[in-house]
C-alpha cells in the first residue's frame, strides 16, 4: 500500500464514510473549478468548441485507466444504452456550457440542483418506480424552489437560465440511464464510454462555430479535461464507498464555492432568491435520495430474509 504514497495510505485507512465525504468535497471543488474555467474560456471561444475540447482532453485523461486495466473497461453488453447516454449528456453539456457564460455562477449551481428531481420523476415515468406521497411532496417542493430562482412573471426568465434547465433535464435522464447501467456496468466502464461517445458527438456542432484556439488555450483545455474527469470519478467512488445519504448533503458546497468564485473573480453578487431557491431544491433532492436509499436497503433486507 505504501508504494502509492503516505497520503493515499492514510486515506485508505479512513472509515468508508469519511472516505466518501472527502471524495465528495473533492467532487464539489473539481466541478466548481471546471465551471469557472469553462466560463473563462467561453469569453474567448464558442461554448460548443469548449465542450468538445473538454471531452477530448477528458478522454485523454483516462489513459492511466487503460494502462492499468487494458481493454477490460470496454467490455460491455449495453452499447446502445451507453450511446444513448452519450447523446443525452451531449445535449445537456452543450446547453450547460452555453448557459454558464450567460448567467451568474451561483444561479447556474442553484438550478443545476434540479437534475436529481428530473431524474426521480423520469425514473417513475420510464422505469415504473413506485412513487409515494413523501416523494411527491419533495418533488413539488423542489420544483417550487426552481420557481423561486427563476421567478417567472416577476422577472424575465433569461435564455441562460432556460439552457441550464435543459441541461438539468438532460442530466436527469442520464441519471435514469445510469441506474439501469449500474446493474451490470462498473463506474469505470460508464465513465470511459461517456467520454468515448461525448467526444465525437460534441465535435459535430463545434465544427459550425469553429475558431482555432490560441496556444495557451490548450493548457486550459487540458486542465478542464482532467478536472472534469476527476470530478466524475470521485463522485462515482464517493457513492460507491459510502451511503449516498452521508455524502450527497455535501454537494451543497458547490453553491458556496460558486458564490465565492463569482464574487471574487466575476464581481457577481448572488441574490437572496438564488440562495433560497437553491436551498429548497437541494433539500428536496437530498430528501428524495435519502428516501430512495432507505427503500433500497429495505428491499435488500426483504430479499435476504426471503432467500434464507
Amino acid at each position: 500500500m505504501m508504494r502509492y504514497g503516505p497520503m493515499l495510505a492514510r486515506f485508505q485507512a479512513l472509515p468508508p464514510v469519511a472516505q466518501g465525504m472527502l471524495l465528495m468535497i473533492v467532487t464539489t471543488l473539481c466541478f466548481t473549478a471546471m465551471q469557472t474555467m469553462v466560463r473563462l474560456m467561453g469569453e474567448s471561444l464558442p461554448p460548443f468548441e469548449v465542450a468538445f475540447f473538454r471531452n477530448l482532453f477528458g478522454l485523454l485523461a483516462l489513459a492511466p485507466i487503460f494502462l492499468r486495466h487494458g481493454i477490460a473497461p470496454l467490455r460491455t453488453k449495453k452499447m446502445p444504452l451507453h450511446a444513448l447516454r452519450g447523446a443525452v449528456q451531449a445535449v445537456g453539456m452543450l446547453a450547460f456550457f452555453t448557459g454558464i457564460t450567460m448567467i451568474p455562477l451561483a444561479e447556474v449551481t442553484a438550478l443545476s440542483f434540479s437534475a436529481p428531481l428530473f431524474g426521480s420523476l423520469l425514473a417513475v415515468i420510464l422505469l415504473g418506480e413506485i412513487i409515494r406521497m413523501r416523494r411527491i411532496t419533495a418533488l413539488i417542493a423542489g420544483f417550487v424552489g426552481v420557481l423561486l430562482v427563476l421567478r417567472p412573471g416577476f422577472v424575465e426568465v433569461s435564455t441562460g437560465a432556460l439552457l441550464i434547465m435543459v441541461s438539468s433535464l438532460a442530466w436527469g435522464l442520464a441519471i435514469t440511464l445510469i441506474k439501469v447501467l449500474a446493474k451490470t456496468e462498473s463506474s469505470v466502464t460508464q465513465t470511459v464510454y461517456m467520454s468515448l461517445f461525448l467526444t465525437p458527438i460534441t465535435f459535430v456542432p463545434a465544427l459550425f462555430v469553429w475558431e482555432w484556439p490560441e496556444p495557451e488555450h490548450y493548457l486550459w483545455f487540458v486542465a478542464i479535461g482532467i478536472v472534469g474527469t476527476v470530478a466524475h470519478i470521485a463522485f462515482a467512488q464517493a457513492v460507491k464507498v459510502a451511503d449516498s445519504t452521508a455524502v450527497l448533503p455535501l454537494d451543497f458546497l458547490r453553491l458556496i464555492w460558486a458564490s465565492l468564485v463569482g464574487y471574487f473573480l466575476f464581481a457577481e453578487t448572488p441574490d437572496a432568491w438564488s440562495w433560497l431557491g437553491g436551498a429548497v431544491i437541494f433539500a428536496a433532492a437530498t430528501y428524495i435520495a435519502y428516501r430512495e436509499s432507505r427503500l433500497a436497503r429495505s428491499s435488500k433486507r426483504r430479499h435476504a430474509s426471503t432467500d434464507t
Side-chain angles (χ1 to χ4, degrees), residues 33-271:
M34 186 192 74
Q35 292 174 12
T36 303
M37 289 187 284
V38 168
R39 174 72 171 272
L40 290 170
M41 291 300 297
E43 295 176 355
S44 54
L45 287 173
F48 284 10
E49 191 174 341
V50 177
F52 161 67
F53 277 110
R54 177 263 178 269
N55 291 313
L56 176 62
F57 285 96
L59 182 60
L60 296 177
L62 294 174
I65 291 177
F66 290 106
L67 291 175
R68 182 177 180 182
H69 300 284
I71 64 170
L74 295 176
R75 298 194 181 100
T76 181
K77 295 181 180 179
K78 303 288 186 179
M79 188 65 74
L81 275 181
H82 285 295
L84 179 59
R85 181 195 171 185
V88 168
Q89 285 198 231
V91 172
M93 180 177 286
L94 293 173
F96 187 84
F97 276 40
T98 304
I100 203 173
T101 65
M102 303 172 72
I103 61 175
L105 285 178
E107 186 177 349
V108 169
T109 304
L111 291 174
S112 72
F113 286 147
S114 64
L117 302 179
F118 286 115
S120 183
L121 185 61
L122 289 169
V124 173
I125 297 172
L126 300 178
L127 303 182
E129 289 189 2
I130 297 174
I131 185 168
R132 296 178 175 84
M133 185 54 64
R134 291 183 182 181
R135 194 165 161 190
I136 293 173
T137 303
L139 283 171
I140 293 173
F143 286 115
V144 167
V146 172
L147 293 177
L148 288 174
V149 178
L150 297 178
R151 284 168 291 150
F154 296 93
V155 296
E156 182 180 356
V157 179
S158 67
T159 302
L162 290 176
L163 287 170
I164 299 302
M165 291 305 299
V166 169
S167 74
S168 292
L169 175 59
W171 178 236
L173 179 54
I175 291 173
T176 306
L177 294 172
I178 290 169
K179 286 182 178 181
V180 178
L181 287 167
K183 296 176 182 178
T184 57
E185 310 291 277
S186 69
S187 58
V188 173
T189 295
Q190 291 194 58
T191 302
V192 167
Y193 274 108
M194 180 187 69
S195 295
L196 284 173
F197 281 109
L198 278 172
T199 302
I201 292 174
T202 53
F203 179 62
V204 175
L207 284 175
F208 291 93
V209 292
W210 191 267
E211 297 177 14
W212 284 106
E214 298 295 330
E216 63 270 16
H217 288 159
Y218 290 99
L219 295 176
W220 286 98
F221 293 144
V222 171
I224 291 172
I226 292 174
V227 169
T229 300
V230 169
H232 281 288
I233 294 176
F235 177 77
Q237 189 65 18
V239 296
K240 181 179 180 180
V241 301
D243 194 293
S244 59
T245 57
V247 299
L248 286 181
L250 291 170
D251 194 39
F252 192 74
L253 289 171
R254 286 196 293 125
L255 184 55
I256 297 175
W257 307 146
S259 299
L260 291 172
V261 171
Y263 180 79
F264 288 106
L265 201 58
F266 301 109
E268 298 171 351
T269 303
D271 57 34

